Amino acid sequence: MLRAVLSLCLLPALALAAPPKVATDITPVHSLVASVMQGVGSPALLIQSGASPHGYTLRPSEAQALQDADVVFWMSEDLTPWLEGSIASLAKDAINVELLETEGTLLHDIREGATFEAHDHHDDDHGHDEHHDPHAWLDPENAKVWLNHIAEELARLDSANAETYRRNAATTRQQLTDLQAELEQRVEGLAGVRFIVFHDAYQYFERRFGLVAQGAISIGDASDPSPARIKKLRDVTESLDIRCVFTEPQYNPGLVKSVFAPTQIRATPVMDPLGARLQPGTSLYSEVLRGLVRSVEECADAT
């Protein structure tokens, strides 16, 4: 009897010791948060692998995970405009962490037009009043900034595991530093590779690793291209002798074939900014970046 009473008395303390419930939007953000939480808990993933974040309907289990969350880490309303309303209605009491708004994040303006000039557009480190390209996770320097922020937010919620969060963040930052060195070595000699991407999601990756896409079939939200955009892409493909156009797992590769059928494009490898074919988890973020470099290598080999 005494043992039962003691057990009941301990229940509130045990409940308080539980790690916070965390929800994340896309798989790369989930990967970073999972790395920080490793050994303590696991975040919920709201947008499943293989789905486009630009338009998505939450499954009942995902909506429940959002409703249960103590904190939500997500990229930006510019990437997932539908998610802002879901957070407001289902997780209004949760801490809302929009990573693109994090102090120290390097931001680039949205690129205009079907084809891209050299990197001469404005960028800053956290301008909040402008619409920026939201695909900022493809620069590992931003991921390092966010790892610190994620760890501190979790530490405030869960002081008992604060040192674990901070230690995990420091370990993952070092791993990303090592990864950058690896990828910088691999991209040497690839700067002259001319390619077109499916949608304009890669400028953070391009600028970090010295690569330049010549254009994109779709704008940043992956909407269908206009006839004028298609004509301009065909013209630049012929004038610059571009032989490689990247498809993406989330979208119909038939669009690439229809757009470039009159041209001499001969290689359509896959470029995947979200890791659609990868298992969600702590290693996914690094594997996404490795996969992007591997895609450019395949393009170089094909041409």
Side-chain angles (χ1 to χ4, degrees):
M1 180 67 178
L2 179 60
R3 182 179 298 173
V5 171
L6 289 172
S7 297
L8 288 172
C9 291
L10 287 173
L11 282 177
L14 291 173
L16 288 174
K21 294 181 179 179
V22 180
T24 62
D25 58 348
I26 56 176
T27 46
V29 172
H30 175 270
S31 180
L32 295 173
V33 176
S35 295
V36 174
M37 295 187 70
Q38 194 166 24
V40 178
S42 299
L45 176 62
L46 298 179
I47 304 173
Q48 297 305 306
S49 297
S52 169
H54 301 294
Y56 187 78
T57 301
L58 294 175
R59 303 172 185 176
S61 60
E62 294 156 357
Q64 187 63 55
L66 180 58
Q67 187 170 6
D68 292 342
D70 299 307
V71 58
V72 182
F73 294 104
W74 62 303
M75 186 54 52
S76 166
E77 63 177 310
D78 290 328
L79 182 73
T80 54
W82 56 271
L83 184 55
E84 185 177 30
S86 297
I87 293 173
S89 61
L90 296 176
K92 59 181 181 294
D93 295 327
I95 296 172
N96 182 341
V97 182
E98 191 174 353
L99 292 176
L100 214 66
E101 296 290 316
T102 301
E103 185 80 19
T105 299
L106 177 65
L107 300 173
H108 301 310
D109 289 344
I110 294 172
R111 293 191 284 203
E112 303 292 339
T115 59
F116 309 139
E117 303 300 329
H119 294 148
D120 58 358
H121 47 278
H122 172 71
D123 54 76
D124 58 50
D125 64 353
H126 58 279
H128 304 304
D129 297 327
E130 302 291 335
H131 285 283
H132 292 99
D133 184 338
H135 303 86
W137 69 90
L138 295 181
D139 185 341
E141 288 296 329
N142 282 336
K144 293 178 192 178
V145 171
W146 299 337
L147 286 165
N148 281 346
H149 191 56
I150 292 164
E152 291 308 314
E153 289 289 348
L154 292 173
R156 288 198 305 112
L157 280 172
D158 181 18
S159 59
N161 291 302
E163 289 310 308
T164 299
Y165 298 136
R166 290 169 179 144
R167 182 170 61 251
N168 286 344
T171 298
T172 308
R173 285 198 309 274
Q174 183 58 54
Q175 290 171 347
L176 291 184
T177 296
D178 296 341
L179 175 65
Q180 275 183 253
E182 169 197 327
L183 297 183
E184 285 165 1
Q185 184 174 22
R186 285 174 57 180
V187 299
E188 290 181 3
L190 295 179
V193 177
R194 292 174 173 174
F195 59 90
I196 289 173
V197 295
F198 185 89
H199 87 291
D200 190 14
Y202 303 96
Q203 69 166 315
Y204 288 91
F205 167 72
E206 294 168 39
R207 290 167 65 93
R208 178 56 54 194
F209 294 104
L211 303 169
V212 183
Q214 302 300 318
I217 298 174
S218 300
I219 59 176
D221 64 359
S223 56
D224 289 340
S226 66
R229 189 180 186 93
I230 290 174
K231 182 180 185 308
K232 191 167 186 179
L233 286 169
R234 287 173 177 170
D235 290 345
V236 76
T237 297
E238 296 292 353
S239 64
L240 295 180
D241 193 29
I242 295 171
R243 301 299 178 89
C244 186
V245 178
F246 289 107
T247 63
E248 290 185 24
Q250 294 87 359
Y251 304 107
N252 180 10
L255 180 59
V256 173
K257 294 180 181 179
S258 65
V259 168
F260 292 98
T263 72
Q264 298 301 310
I265 290 291
R266 63 189 185 196
T268 56
V270 174
M271 183 172 274
D272 183 4
L274 292 166
R277 298 171 180 174
L278 300 174
Q279 183 67 29
T282 57
S283 65
L284 179 139
Y285 181 83
S286 295
E287 290 307 310
V288 164
L289 294 184
R290 286 192 178 97
L292 297 184
V293 172
R294 186 161 54 247
S295 295
V296 180
E297 289 171 336
E298 290 174 7
C299 181
D301 292 341
T303 57

